[in-house]
Amino acid sequence: MKSKLIFFFALAVTLISCGPTIYKVADFSEVTAKHKTVAILPTEVSMQLRPNEMKKTSPEQLNQMQEQTGKDIQDKMYAWFLKRSGKFKYTVTFQDISRTNALLAQANLTYATINTKTKDELARLLGVDAVISSRATMKKPMSEGAAVALGLLVGAWGNTNNVQTSISINEGIKGDLVWKYDYTASGSVGSNTDNLVNSLMRNASKKFPYNAK
C-alpha cells in the first residue's frame, strides 16, 4: 500500500512539473495599450535525432527539415488565430504570414538568420507593434514532408511523442519580453503539427493576453 502511495505521489509530481508555465509582465496592459498589429515569426525548431539517424542525415538535410517544420507550425498558429478571432475577440490583428515571410526575405533574412535581429528590429522591419516567436524541441519531425524526408533517409517513420514548446510576445519599441508560455506536449498530442498547435493554443488561449474576454 505504501509503495502505491509513493508511486502515485511521484506520478503527481511528474504531471505537475510538465504543466504549463506562464510569465506576464506586471504592466502588460499599459505596455501594449496601443498595439494594433502583431506578427507571427517562423517557429525555431530543434530536432534531436538518434545517433543512427544523425549518421545518415547531413547538416543541410537537418536544417531543411527544421525549417519546414518551423514554417508549418507558424502557418498552423496563424490559421488557429484566424479561425477563433470571432470567439475570443482579440484586441489586435495578426499580420498575414505571407507578408511577414516576404518582408523577411526582402531584408535578406533567412530562417537561420532571423535570430541575428533583435525583436524590436524585427517589429520595425515588419511594421508591427509586437512579434510572437515560438520554439519547439522534438526528437523527430512532425510536419508530414519532413517526416517523410527522414523516413526516406534512415527508415524512421514514427513521429515524436514529446515536444517542449514555448510562445513569447515581445513589444516592438524596445523589444522587451512581455509574455511567455511554456508547454510540454506529450502522447498523441505530439504526433503532428496540427495536434501540437491545437493543444498548445487551446491551453494558452485562456491566458493569452490579447484576448478581450
Side-chain angles (χ1 to χ4, degrees):
M1 182 65 179
K2 184 177 179 180
S3 61
K4 288 184 178 180
L5 289 175
I6 294 174
F7 169 77
F8 284 117
F9 175 76
L11 178 61
V13 171
T14 301
L15 291 173
I16 292 172
S17 67
C18 293
T21 303
I22 302 171
Y23 164 80
K24 184 178 180 181
V25 69
D27 57 346
F28 182 89
S29 297
E30 291 76 13
V31 172
T32 62
K34 296 182 179 180
H35 287 189
K36 300 297 181 183
T37 308
V38 177
I40 304 170
L41 300 176
T43 299
E44 182 182 342
V45 173
S46 175
M47 293 181 185
Q48 301 173 342
L49 304 182
R50 294 192 296 259
N52 66 312
E53 296 170 343
M54 286 298 298
K55 289 180 181 179
K56 300 180 181 180
T57 307
S58 69
E60 292 76 17
Q61 290 167 329
L62 179 60
N63 290 337
Q64 185 177 5
M65 288 187 289
Q66 290 178 153
E67 178 176 351
Q68 184 172 350
T69 303
K71 289 185 175 179
D72 193 26
I73 295 175
Q74 177 198 27
D75 179 68
K76 298 294 193 308
M77 191 177 296
Y78 176 61
W80 199 97
F81 282 123
L82 289 185
K83 290 178 182 177
R84 291 157 180 82
S85 58
K87 176 181 178 181
F88 291 106
K89 299 187 183 301
Y90 298 117
T91 58
V92 297
T93 58
F94 302 94
Q95 186 178 75
D96 191 312
I97 61 169
S98 62
R99 175 174 176 79
T100 299
N101 293 339
L103 290 172
L104 292 173
Q106 289 171 18
N108 295 318
L109 288 175
T110 65
Y111 178 80
T113 61
I114 292 176
N115 286 337
T116 62
K117 297 290 184 181
T118 61
K119 294 301 190 293
D120 52 305
E121 289 175 329
L122 289 172
R124 287 192 291 272
L125 171 65
L126 298 171
V128 296
D129 303 304
V131 293
I132 295 176
S133 59
S134 54
R135 293 183 178 181
T137 301
M138 58 192 66
K139 294 183 179 179
K140 290 183 181 179
M142 297 183 72
S143 66
E144 182 178 352
V148 169
L150 183 62
L152 291 173
L153 286 169
V154 300
W157 298 97
N159 285 308
T160 182
N161 62 1
N162 191 299
V163 186
Q164 302 290 332
T165 62
S166 68
I167 307 175
S168 300
I169 299 177
N170 292 73
E171 58 85 26
I173 297 177
K174 296 181 180 180
D176 293 338
L177 175 69
V178 295
W179 185 81
K180 188 172 186 288
Y181 185 89
D182 296 308
Y183 177 71
T184 299
S186 60
S188 60
V189 168
S191 62
N192 58 57
T193 51
D194 280 318
N195 288 346
L196 174 65
V197 172
N198 285 337
S199 178
L200 174 62
M201 299 308 296
R202 186 167 54 249
N203 281 276
S205 61
K206 294 180 181 179
K207 301 294 184 179
F208 193 68
Y210 292 121
N211 184 350
K213 287 187 176 181

